[in-house]
Amino acid sequence: MSFPVRDSVEIDLDWTVYQNNDFTLRIAQGQDGVNSMYGIPQIDPTRKYTIKFLADSIPNPRAVFYIHGRKYVCEKLTATFTENGMSQLIKGEFYTMID
């Protein structure tokens, strides 16, 4: 089976790892020169939190959320709209940022 090379590390359907350190389509390189997700928040993908809160407007979902002193990245926000306007109750799905 043939497929395009997109990054310096490719993982096959059977979880075989192939490394090609000469090529990547990533936008940024890490500080150490190794291709990494530098500049993109690292999260714990195994733990998703659903948090409900009250707000008069929908916050920017790309912002870093500080909840009980911890940093979270938002996956999505859900608000309810009726003929009377927007409900103040907003439901968000978040992942904890890893420092």
Side-chain angles (χ1 to χ4, degrees):
M1 170 171 57
S2 62
F3 55 91
V5 175
R6 298 174 304 274
D7 204 347
S8 60
V9 176
E10 296 286 333
I11 301 174
D12 204 351
L13 295 174
D14 65 354
W15 296 98
T16 305
V17 177
Y18 302 98
Q19 292 191 345
N20 174 6
N21 294 327
D22 299 332
F23 185 78
T24 184
L25 290 177
R26 290 189 184 182
I27 295 173
Q29 300 226 354
Q31 290 178 328
D32 56 1
V34 176
N35 294 326
S36 65
M37 299 301 281
Y38 179 70
I40 298 174
Q42 298 297 308
I43 62 167
D44 178 4
T46 62
R47 301 191 69 184
K48 184 181 352 182
Y49 297 92
T50 300
I51 300 171
K52 296 179 181 179
F53 57 95
L54 298 175
D56 292 329
S57 62
I58 300 173
N60 182 357
R62 294 186 178 193
V64 174
F65 288 76
Y66 291 89
I67 304 169
H68 294 289
R70 298 189 69 187
K71 296 180 189 177
Y72 291 85
V73 174
C74 180
E75 178 182 342
K76 72 178 180 177
L77 296 173
T78 304
T80 303
F81 290 86
T82 66
E83 61 274 357
N84 298 326
M86 185 185 93
S87 169
Q88 286 186 315
L89 183 64
I90 298 175
K91 182 174 84 169
E93 294 182 10
F94 299 92
Y95 291 97
T96 305
M97 286 180 61
I98 300 170
D99 291 327

